Amino acid sequence: MPTPAPKQVPDRHGRFGPYGGRYVPETLIPALDELTAGFAAAWRDKAFVGAFRSLLADFVGRPTPLTHAAKLSRQLDRRVYLKREDLNHTGAHKINNALGQVLLAKRLGKARIIAETGAGQHGVATATACALVGLKCRIYMGTEDMRRQSPNVFRMRLLGAEVVGVDSGTHTLKDAVNEALRDWVANVTDTHYCLGTAYGPHPFPLICRTFQAVIGEEARKQIRKAEGRLPDALLACVGGGSNAIGLFHAFRNDAGVRLFGVEAGGRGAALGEHAARFDGGRPGVFQGAATWILQDDAGQIQGTHSVSAGLDYAAVGPEHAYLRDIGRAEYLRCSDDQALQAMHRLAEVEGIIPALESSHALGVLDAVCERLPKDGILIVNVSGRGDKDVAEVARLEGVSL
Ligand SMILES: *Cc1c(COP(=O)(O)O)cnc(C)c1O
């Protein structure tokens, strides 16, 4: 299938084709304008980019390795490589974006950082970056998520952050986002909202992509060194879409490199049982952006389910909706059970326990390999490590720890 090169997106209105944009209260528009201009100036400033790169190296531990999965490769008759975002400080790719945004906020003279978190991974990454840079940090988290993820609540507090429980709605991520947006509207002059994925009103999807693009920039160099050519395909899980777009971006104009994203198929096809926005959703507007959303006939946002908290969100990042529309990227779904099996497989075969989110990408590995030529090269993004999920997996499998 031909893979058309995407236009330069987003355009100056923050649009990815018909998606993206800014659907926010008008009191936030000046703040979004300031952020757009401040980010553009920072990214042109060698000193800012240099400071970011230095911290990625010396604090986060980049570049992360590109590991050849030798035994999986033999099993599949393809050359499978793993991009090891699990080896980053704090255990996932989220620190790339959190660190970049906290540095940006400091440069813009903000005194205070707020963020939302679901499973707590972005909250921990943001609290970590705030401790490093020296900014006050408040994290909004649904009370149901706080109960399910209590070790991460304690981690954030150890790092000096204030964690505020959100008791509205379903007491989960979308309610935490609403509360963070409310705080931002009230305190916009001295506060930066550190949004955790490639989502939200412009310029957040652009900012997050830019800070995460290091994943694909490294992988492109690493695969050329290892194989002397570009890969045939890339594979990543898609919650809001930041680890996937971070891997994809450096390859966007390489027509021979196919892009595969994987959504959470949960425990069934019925609305409410999964978080596969492209396979059960339709276009709409939610929390600042136009994109594909799981909603009912009246446009009410639907509940979602996934074994992995990081993929459990009713909307997908707008750039993914665009890449899908133009046929540049393809999106698959992976069920809870397939993801759990894939987690066991990588642990047993390659000695790496992946996060449940990353296990969704690994869960469609065989299906994607079948679509590649024999000896074809595939890079899978291992977006995070599975340590955080061990207790939950044991519970699901009836093992008491
Ligand atoms: C949060 C998270 C994700 C999902 O978020 P994206 O923005 O889609 O990358 C995936 N993997 C891990 C390990 C996460 O913590």
Side-chain angles (χ1 to χ4, degrees):
M1 190 175 65
T3 48
K7 286 187 302 219
Q8 189 76 17
V9 286
D11 68 15
R12 63 195 174 83
H13 304 293
R15 294 238 157 224
F16 301 85
Y19 307 111
R22 284 177 174 173
Y23 296 84
V24 293
E26 63 187 315
T27 43
L28 280 183
I29 297 294
L32 292 170
D33 282 340
E34 179 200 282
L35 187 57
T36 305
F39 171 67
W43 203 244
R44 279 194 306 267
D45 177 355
K46 285 202 175 75
F48 178 84
V49 175
F52 176 56
R53 296 250 153 89
S54 294
L55 287 172
L56 286 181
D58 304 331
F59 183 72
V60 176
R62 302 203 72 94
T64 59
L66 184 71
T67 304
H68 179 228
K71 285 193 273 169
L72 268 186
S73 296
R74 266 200 299 282
Q75 285 178 8
L76 293 161
D77 253 333
R78 308 291 187 281
R79 302 187 61 75
V80 179
Y81 285 82
L82 307 172
K83 183 57 175 162
R84 301 293 306 281
E85 292 302 294
D86 58 310
L87 293 178
N88 284 322
H89 181 42
T90 70
H93 68 292
K94 288 210 171 71
I95 190 76
N96 304 326
N97 171 56
L99 183 60
Q101 286 202 40
V102 170
L103 289 173
L104 177 62
K106 178 145 187 161
R107 178 187 162 103
L108 297 177
K110 305 293 175 182
R112 180 173 175 267
I113 300 287
I114 57 169
E116 84 296 340
T117 197
Q121 294 304 109
H122 175 57
V124 169
T126 303
T128 299
C130 286
L132 176 75
V133 171
L135 288 180
K136 266 194 351 200
C137 178
R138 173 186 277 189
I139 306 292
Y140 289 99
M141 189 171 186
T143 47
E144 175 61 19
D145 288 335
M146 286 177 76
R147 186 189 62 72
R148 289 190 291 196
Q149 307 286 342
S150 55
N152 273 341
V153 176
F154 189 66
R155 269 185 203 111
M156 288 182 261
R157 289 180 173 151
L158 269 179
L159 291 158
E162 179 192 4
V163 182
V164 176
V166 177
D167 237 337
S168 54
T170 52
H171 326 278
T172 58
L173 177 60
K174 72 170 171 46
D175 312 295
V177 174
N178 285 337
E179 209 51 42
L181 281 168
R182 220 165 288 156
D183 181 320
W184 203 35
V185 170
N187 300 292
V188 70
T189 47
D190 77 334
T191 298
H192 175 69
Y193 177 16
C194 182
L195 207 152
T197 186
Y199 198 75
H202 177 65
F204 283 109
L206 171 66
I207 289 176
C208 184
R209 181 186 79 190
T210 306
F211 290 138
Q212 292 290 4
V214 64
I215 302 172
E217 287 157 15
E218 288 175 5
R220 205 165 184 284
K221 285 191 200 127
Q222 290 167 319
I223 197 71
R224 279 198 146 140
K225 185 147 183 252
E227 292 280 353
R229 70 169 178 95
L230 293 178
D232 296 288
L234 309 176
L235 174 58
C237 66
V238 180
S242 69
N243 84 90
I245 210 70
L247 178 64
F248 293 173
H249 191 64
F251 298 88
R252 66 196 178 283
N253 295 321
D254 299 315
V257 181
R258 294 172 72 176
L259 311 178
F260 293 96
V262 185
E263 298 185 284
R267 55 193 167 209
L271 214 51
E273 296 296 306
H274 63 83
R277 290 71 42 110
F278 290 132
D279 193 5
R282 60 199 158 80
V285 167
F286 185 50
Q287 292 184 328
T291 183
W292 277 62
I293 295 164
L294 290 165
Q295 54 192 319
D296 68 13
D297 289 339
Q300 291 298 311
I301 300 307
Q302 291 303 286
T304 49
H305 162 80
S306 171
V307 70
S308 118
L311 304 183
D312 200 353
Y313 186 62
V316 64
E319 187 162 6
H320 289 287
Y322 170 70
L323 292 175
R324 180 174 176 271
D325 268 15
I326 65 168
R328 179 67 188 90
E330 299 163 68
Y331 295 84
L332 312 171
R333 61 190 282 168
C334 171
S335 71
D336 287 355
D337 288 345
Q338 283 174 297
L340 285 163
Q341 280 172 28
M343 178 191 235
H344 280 282
R345 181 193 199 184
L346 197 72
E348 285 168 28
V349 176
E350 297 291 346
I352 298 165
I353 303 177
L356 277 172
E357 292 83 4
S358 323
S359 300
H360 282 71
L362 294 156
V364 300
L365 185 59
D366 297 70
V368 167
C369 280
E370 271 172 32
R371 293 158 75 166
L372 304 181
K374 265 220 166 120
D375 273 328
I377 301 171
L378 174 68
I379 297 177
V380 188
N381 208 12
V382 181
S383 53
R385 68 179 83 128
D387 305 37
K388 69 181 177 62
D389 298 315
V390 165
E392 176 65 3
V393 172
R395 191 187 67 78
L396 288 169
E397 297 177 353
V399 179
S400 56
L401 295 180

